[in-house]
Amino acid sequence: MKWTQQNLKIPLMNAMWRLHAAVCTLSLLSLSSAAESKARSCGEARHAYHAKGFSLANVPHQEISGEHLRVCPQGHTCCTSEMEDKLNQESKVEFENLVEESSRNMRTTFFSRHKKFDEFFLELLDNSEKSLNSMFTRTYGKLYMQNSEVFQDLFTELKRYYTGGNVNLEEMLNDFWSRLLERMFQLLNSQYQFTDDYLECVSKYTDQLKPFGDVPRRLKAQVTRAFIAARTFVQGLMVGREVANRVAKVNVIPACVRALTKMLYCPYCRSMPGLKPCHNYCHNVMRGCLANQADLDAEWNLFIDAMLLVAERLEGPFNIEAVVEPVDIKISDAIMTMQDNSMQVSAKVFQGCGQPKPSGVGRSARGISDVFSARFRPYTPEERPTTTAGTSLDRLLIDIKEKLKESKRFWSNLPDDICAKGKFTEPDEDQCWNSHTKGRYFPEVVKEGLTNQVNNPEVDVDITRPDTLIRQQIMALRVMTNKLKNAYNGNDIYFQDSSDEGSASGSGSGCSDGCTTEYVFVGTEASVIGADRGDERAAAAAGKSCSVGPSLLLLMAAIALSLQATQTQWR
């Protein structure tokens, strides 16, 4: 019996040893497998990290535990805390470059078209002045040379108005015709001597006698409308450029940096550096980071629409080319009319201002009437000077309008442009980075704009704190759009001094001397409105003379009412 029990124990013990050996083998295999999993290579991550220009000194060769990570997934990782911090900074810089690069064509368009239009208009004025000077010198000779400053001052003031000077167009043109009448009246009545007081009396008869016929009235209407439209249009091109430049320099909030790092560089930490983000994932990140830019879009589109309307005016009834080129012919016609009616004009002036004293000097051998007998002939199209800008107004405006239309909805479409499939994101929705691993991205894409980011799953946006700079650009666009709408109607918007009866008004004549209250308003946003080259000087003057008191508050209220009234009328 004892022998039998011993014999039974031997096979049992052998079986137990075999089982123990099997368990040990499985344990060793399991440990070996776990060790192999933990030790996955970081070779691809190291290569990609180094390609960014970073040192590999502290970059692990194999995956390590990721409890130290604050942005990327905390499983096994190829990233240290130092690497994550550097990738954070890299994400911020890369995003800033992305926005700037995506907006470069649009910003360049505004810059180049502003430059072309500005050159075209100024050269158009220069050519017109040269043409007048040449014609009048050939025709009137010494008489013109002795009085040429009257015409030079006309073109000087027109240029000053266009380049942002504080010029009242109507008053300036009235002054030109009054001065011309005085000079012409003396030349046509050279047998008399006239005092300054007498000549001042003569100028008062300009409107009553209409010595130049209907030319001054027609030319005033054409010049004011065309110059208001041209000046406002070129200001609009510069405002568009300046706003775009400022908005393109994004203010990247910390929450956006974290989201960008997670999207762009956390695949490095998972040893998948070549993996592109999912399309919808990119949209949520970009719409969160560009929420404030999207809010600019509505005002931007209204601004572009207003620019297009003024461009149409410049092509049609407010065509600057049709107004500026034949200025010399029109002034010549006015002089001829004055010469034809000189007897009647002189008689009525003598009746109203008194009989002048004889000068004791008779008319020259060549009579004044003979001097003014030659009428100018217009240039043929082949003879007419052309601008070095190398294009006609029509072709220039067609090009500008096309580019303006392309820029509509730019800011709301910016996330779409950045997240274009194939360029920045992975077209295969199952083979893309979804913020955690390779796979499909399931959250819905939020709408653009600040208020819609309350449910953004990727970027924690504080919708109660709009970006101050963006709000300033919205105001700049609103002010410019209001100017464009007034220019479309032939009115030059300006705001009277708060001491006047009315606080705000639109006029076809610009702003009278000393009227700087428009620039008080603009000066509050001096950093965002740089188009009107006279604004900076006026804003500085206004800043010295105005304090934030009751009169300024009343002025601001009046401006707001004016804007509201204009917008209501526009609708």
Side-chain angles (χ1 to χ4, degrees):
M1 184 72 175
K2 187 174 181 180
W3 181 86
T4 303
Q5 287 176 347
Q6 189 67 25
N7 284 341
L8 287 173
K9 284 181 181 180
I10 292 172
L12 182 61
M13 289 176 66
N14 288 338
M16 289 177 67
W17 279 111
R18 285 195 297 270
L19 179 61
H20 179 69
V23 169
C24 288
T25 301
L26 286 173
S27 298
L28 288 171
L29 287 172
S30 178
L31 289 170
S32 175
S33 176
E36 184 182 345
S37 176
K38 286 182 181 180
R40 192 165 59 177
S41 172
C42 291
E44 288 187 48
R46 285 172 59 84
H47 179 75
Y49 187 74
H50 185 60
K52 288 287 178 183
F54 298 124
S55 170
L56 293 176
N58 298 312
V59 181
H61 289 272
Q62 294 178 322
E63 287 185 333
I64 59 176
S65 177
E67 289 87 354
H68 56 277
L69 298 178
R70 292 173 296 171
V71 177
C72 295
Q74 292 186 330
H76 297 313
T77 184
C78 288
C79 287
T80 62
S81 295
E82 182 185 7
M83 289 173 66
E84 191 180 50
D85 290 341
K86 287 183 177 179
L87 292 174
N88 252 322
Q89 289 301 314
E90 185 72 10
S91 298
K92 181 178 182 295
V93 172
E94 187 166 336
F95 176 64
E96 290 170 343
N97 292 338
L98 267 173
V99 175
E100 193 161 348
E101 179 66 31
S102 299
S103 64
R104 178 170 291 134
N105 285 341
M106 187 265 288
R107 291 184 289 114
T108 301
T109 290
F110 272 91
F111 176 81
S112 62
R113 270 53 182 187
H114 169 268
K115 188 172 183 290
K116 280 187 178 181
F117 189 90
D118 198 44
E119 287 177 351
F120 179 87
F121 191 85
L122 290 173
E123 290 185 34
L124 192 66
L125 273 178
D126 283 341
N127 285 339
S128 183
E129 184 175 9
K130 289 173 185 175
S131 175
L132 183 144
N133 185 65
S134 176
M135 280 185 167
F136 277 51
T137 300
R138 288 199 310 268
T139 306
Y140 302 133
K142 188 176 180 181
L143 282 178
Y144 167 70
M145 300 298 290
Q146 291 171 341
N147 297 278
S148 61
E149 77 276 4
V150 175
F151 305 94
Q152 291 169 359
D153 289 347
L154 169 66
F155 282 96
T156 298
E157 288 300 287
L158 287 174
K159 287 176 189 174
R160 194 162 74 87
Y161 172 82
Y162 171 74
T163 55
N166 191 19
V167 177
N168 184 311
L169 279 177
E170 286 187 6
E171 288 184 3
M172 184 272 292
L173 290 169
N174 289 341
D175 183 61
F176 166 74
W177 291 113
S178 294
R179 291 177 68 194
L180 186 59
L181 173 61
E182 291 177 12
R183 302 295 177 95
M184 287 286 300
F185 188 80
Q186 291 179 85
L187 289 171
L188 292 167
N189 295 279
S190 58
Q191 69 273 33
Y192 298 104
Q193 62 180 11
F194 302 98
T195 64
D196 290 342
D197 289 340
Y198 194 97
L199 291 175
E200 187 175 342
C201 179
V202 172
S203 67
K204 291 179 181 177
Y205 280 83
T206 306
D207 291 337
Q208 180 183 337
L209 298 177
K210 291 186 171 46
F212 299 109
D214 201 36
V215 174
R217 183 191 64 80
R218 286 187 284 107
L219 190 61
K220 184 196 297 184
Q222 293 168 346
V223 166
T224 52
R225 292 186 309 180
F227 271 72
I228 288 165
R231 176 167 101 153
T232 309
F233 189 73
V234 80
Q235 285 180 11
L237 289 172
M238 184 173 281
V239 166
R241 186 191 78 181
E242 293 302 313
V243 167
N245 282 340
R246 288 182 172 92
V247 176
K249 296 186 184 301
V250 288
N251 175 28
V252 193
I253 61 173
C256 173
V257 176
R258 287 193 296 273
L260 289 165
T261 304
K262 195 172 184 180
M263 180 178 76
L264 297 174
Y265 291 117
C266 284
Y268 282 46
C269 301
R270 299 302 299 271
S271 202
M272 296 182 285
L275 194 60
K276 291 182 178 180
C278 299
H279 189 248
N280 287 351
Y281 174 33
C282 177
H283 264 80
N284 276 338
V285 172
M286 291 302 166
R287 288 190 175 178
C289 290
L290 296 169
N292 284 283
Q293 279 74 8
D295 280 353
L296 183 81
D297 209 53
E299 201 63 50
W300 176 265
N301 293 337
L302 290 174
F303 160 71
I304 296 298
D305 287 339
M307 287 287 291
L308 290 169
L309 287 172
V310 174
E312 289 177 8
R313 282 288 206 236
L314 286 169
E315 287 178 311
F318 298 176
N319 189 303
I320 52 173
E321 213 167 17
V323 171
V324 173
E325 279 192 342
V327 160
D328 48 8
I329 307 297
K330 293 173 182 177
I331 294 176
S332 175
D333 286 343
I335 290 173
M336 294 300 103
T337 301
M338 170 72 180
Q339 191 271 332
D340 292 342
N341 300 323
S342 62
M343 298 295 290
Q344 298 93 315
V345 170
S346 296
K348 289 182 179 178
V349 170
F350 293 162
Q351 183 180 356
C353 299
Q355 187 69 25
K357 294 179 182 180
S359 64
V361 179
R363 291 174 183 261
S364 63
R366 185 187 180 197
I368 296 297
S369 296
D370 294 334
V371 172
F372 289 117
S373 63
R375 290 183 182 271
F376 290 168
R377 62 174 181 83
Y379 277 118
T380 64
E382 293 77 21
E383 294 175 312
R384 183 56 80 173
T386 57
T387 64
T388 57
T391 182
S392 72
L393 178 66
D394 289 340
R395 291 199 300 274
L396 180 58
L397 286 172
I398 287 170
D399 171 65
I400 292 175
K401 287 199 303 180
E402 182 181 332
K403 297 301 181 183
L404 287 172
K405 289 174 184 175
E406 290 175 3
S407 72
K408 283 196 72 174
R409 293 175 292 279
F410 175 83
W411 303 105
S412 58
N413 289 336
L414 187 54
D416 300 342
D417 294 339
I418 292 175
C419 294
K421 288 183 178 179
K423 182 176 76 172
F424 192 75
T425 59
E426 172 58 52
D428 190 338
E429 295 182 4
D430 292 315
Q431 298 296 315
C432 53
W433 175 253
N434 63 9
S435 81
H436 297 289
T437 187
K438 181 193 290 187
R440 184 175 289 269
Y441 181 78
F442 291 101
E444 292 185 3
V445 177
V446 298
K447 293 181 179 179
E448 65 272 0
L450 187 62
T451 56
N452 291 315
Q453 304 314 305
V454 65
N455 295 318
N456 193 315
E458 306 304 335
V459 188
D460 184 16
V461 181
D462 185 353
I463 65 170
T464 65
R465 298 184 64 184
D467 187 284
T468 303
L469 182 96
I470 300 296
R471 301 300 136 175
Q472 289 175 341
Q473 308 317 305
I474 290 173
M475 180 57 72
L477 290 172
R478 194 166 294 162
V479 170
M480 193 66 242
T481 300
N482 192 51
K483 283 187 175 184
L484 289 163
K485 290 176 179 178
N486 277 277
Y488 175 81
N489 292 319
N491 299 323
D492 198 7
I493 186 169
Y494 75 98
F495 301 99
Q496 297 173 353
D497 190 81
S498 57
S499 61
D500 294 344
E501 285 290 328
S503 295
S505 174
S507 170
S509 59
C511 188
S512 60
D513 290 342
C515 175
T516 60
T517 46
E518 175 187 2
Y519 302 117
V520 173
F521 174 64
V522 173
T524 62
E525 299 295 344
S527 62
V528 294
I529 302 178
D532 194 332
R533 283 171 258 192
D535 283 2
E536 293 182 8
R537 296 187 299 272
K544 291 178 182 178
S545 62
C546 297
S547 59
V548 183
S551 61
L552 183 57
L553 293 175
L554 286 171
L555 172 63
M556 296 300 290
I559 290 169
L561 290 172
S562 174
L563 290 172
Q564 184 178 4
T566 305
Q567 289 169 348
T568 303
Q569 181 181 5
W570 185 261
R571 294 193 188 99

